[in-house]
Structure formats: structure tokens, C-alpha cells
């Protein structure tokens, strides 16, 4: 009748079991039993906390009601740990609230902060692309220089008035366009100033 709707997530319970018993194999039936026990425990404590809340004519179950429920059900041994966890939660919630308040006191609307963040991301991407292009060009030049030292050098007359980077780019574009013969594409030859083909 829809038990899964009011049950704890299996993955969470399995993770807890693994953390508590890291070197122990647990059968699926045992895992299912632990899951059902955990769910039943939460139902029991929640029902008792609800009764405590009603007795105090409150409309919202508070942590104090849960602590009283544990005591009423005979789980006094858990009370100190529950109170420690509650204190940790309050500290974390307080820190989170302070951060949110600081953001609100900046006086800058959230939309503007998001726009500024996107602009920073765009600038960082642009700078990274430039660095990547420079690295690629340096690598291509190094490869071309290494190939040039072992291959006969030829010159494309149209490249003689270009910088080495422009020459490399022109050769790459020609290869991509299929304008270079196969032997020239694979040779990686680098033209030298004043040489004649």
C-alpha cells in the first residue's frame, strides 16, 4: 500500500550500513530488515513527538518535542547525541544565515551579481582560448622546426613576406582546403627567406 512513499531511501541506509560495518557483508534480506526498522523507528518517534506537541497545544513539532518523545519511549541513551547534533545544526544554520545576510547587505541585486559572474566567466573563457591558441601555435612551430631540419626545404613564393606564424596558418589552411599536393601536406616543410623552389 505504498510503503516506499513513507520509507527511507535505500541508498542512504545502505551507505550508513557500509560506514558502520565496512568489513562485513550484509545480505539483501538483512538490509531490507534494517531499512524497515529505521522507518518504523522514525514513525514511532514522530508520532510520539506529535502527541507531545499536541499536549503543549503547539502547532509545529519542535526539536524539544522530539527529545521528549525519545525520553517517553525509553530511548534516553540517544538524547545526548541528539542534542549534540541539534547544536551542530544550529551552528551551521547560523553560519549559513550570516553568509546570506552579508550577500543581502552588499546592496547589489542578485540579477546584477549573476550578470557580473557570467561576464567574469566569459572573460576567463576568452583568456583560456587565447592561451590554448598560443600553445597550439608554439607546438606547431616546434613540430615544423623539427620537421624542417630533417626534410628538404622549399618555399611557397606567396609566403615569403609573412611572419612564421602567418606562414604556418596559411599552410594549415591550404592543407585543410586540399590545395596542397599530398607530398607537400605530409612533408611539413618550412620555407626560408630567399630560397627558391
Amino acid at each position: 500500500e505504498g510503503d516506499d512513499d513513507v520509507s527511507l531511501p535505500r541508498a542512504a541506509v545502505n551507505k550508513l550500513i557500509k560506514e558502520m560495518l565496512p568489513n562485513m557483508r550484509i545480505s539483501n534480506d538483512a538490509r531490507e530488515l534494517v531499512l524497515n526498522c529505521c522507518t518504523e523507528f522514525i514513525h514511532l518517534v514522530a508520532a510520539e513527538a506529535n502527541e507531545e506537541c499536541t499536549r503543549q497545544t503547539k502547532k509545529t513539532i519542535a526539536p524539544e518535542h522530539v527529545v521528549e518523545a525519545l525520553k517517553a519511549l525509553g530511548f534516553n541513551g540517544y538524547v545526548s547525541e541528539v542534542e549534540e547534533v541539534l547544536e551542530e545544526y544550529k551552528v551551521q544554520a547560523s553560519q549559513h544565515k550570516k553568509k546570506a545576510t552579508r550577500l543581502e547587505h552588499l546592496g547589489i541585486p542578485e540579477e546584477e551579481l549573476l550578470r557580473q559572474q557570467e561576464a567574469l566567466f566569459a572573460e576567463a573563457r576568452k583568456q583560456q582560448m587565447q592561451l590554448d591558441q598560443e600553445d597550439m601555435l608554439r607546438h606547431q612551430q616546434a613540430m615544423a622546426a623539427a620537421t624542417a631540419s630533417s626534410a628538404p626545404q622549399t618555399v611557397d613564393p606567396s609566403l615569403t613576406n609573412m611572419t612564421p606564424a602567418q606562414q604556418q596558418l596559411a599552410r594549415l589552411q591550404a592543407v585543410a582546403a586540399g590545395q596542397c599536393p599530398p607530398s607537400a601536406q605530409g612533408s611539413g616543410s618550412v620555407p626560408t627567406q630567399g630560397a627558391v623552389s
Side-chain angles (χ1 to χ4, degrees):
E1 63 182 85
D3 282 343
D4 283 343
D5 295 343
V6 292
S7 180
L8 293 171
R10 277 183 173 72
V13 174
N14 287 338
K15 184 179 178 194
L16 287 171
I17 292 170
K18 187 73 173 168
E19 287 175 1
M20 298 301 291
L21 305 167
N23 300 321
M24 182 71 66
R25 290 183 59 194
I26 311 292
S27 71
N28 288 338
D29 290 343
R31 288 176 190 273
E32 191 67 27
L33 181 59
V34 170
L35 176 66
N36 291 336
C37 288
C38 291
T39 303
E40 188 58 35
F41 177 76
I42 290 172
H43 286 175
L44 186 65
V45 172
E48 186 65 31
N50 186 45
E51 286 183 28
E52 182 65 32
C53 180
T54 304
R55 276 194 291 274
Q56 295 181 15
T57 63
K58 303 286 184 182
K59 293 184 178 180
T60 304
I61 296 175
E64 298 76 32
H65 300 134
V66 175
V67 170
E68 288 304 317
L70 288 171
K71 290 176 182 176
L73 293 169
F75 295 113
N76 294 331
Y78 293 120
V79 171
S80 62
E81 289 183 51
V82 167
E83 289 173 340
E84 285 177 22
V85 169
L86 178 60
E87 286 306 312
E88 289 174 16
Y89 166 77
K90 286 179 179 178
V91 168
Q92 289 176 354
S94 171
Q95 290 172 347
H96 181 71
K97 189 174 182 179
K98 285 179 185 174
K99 287 179 184 175
T101 304
R102 274 185 287 194
L103 188 63
E104 291 168 5
H105 288 308
L106 285 175
I108 302 172
E110 185 177 351
E111 296 81 19
E112 175 61 18
L113 289 171
L114 289 172
R115 189 197 63 72
Q116 290 177 8
Q117 182 183 36
E118 281 302 317
L120 289 170
F121 285 157
E123 180 62 26
R125 282 191 294 269
K126 181 180 172 185
Q127 289 176 359
Q128 187 60 47
M129 283 179 56
Q130 288 175 341
L131 289 172
D132 290 346
Q133 288 174 347
E134 290 171 7
D135 285 347
M136 185 175 71
L137 186 58
R138 277 194 295 275
H139 177 70
Q140 290 171 346
Q141 288 173 343
M143 293 296 290
T147 306
S149 65
S150 63
Q153 296 184 349
T154 59
V155 163
D156 180 347
S158 65
L159 300 177
T160 56
N161 293 329
M162 295 183 182
T163 66
Q166 290 171 329
Q167 292 171 3
Q168 182 68 19
L169 181 60
R171 279 194 297 280
L172 290 173
Q173 288 171 340
V175 169
Q179 296 173 351
C180 289
S183 60
Q185 289 178 18
S187 71
S189 61
V190 176
T192 55
Q193 293 284 346
V196 180
S197 52

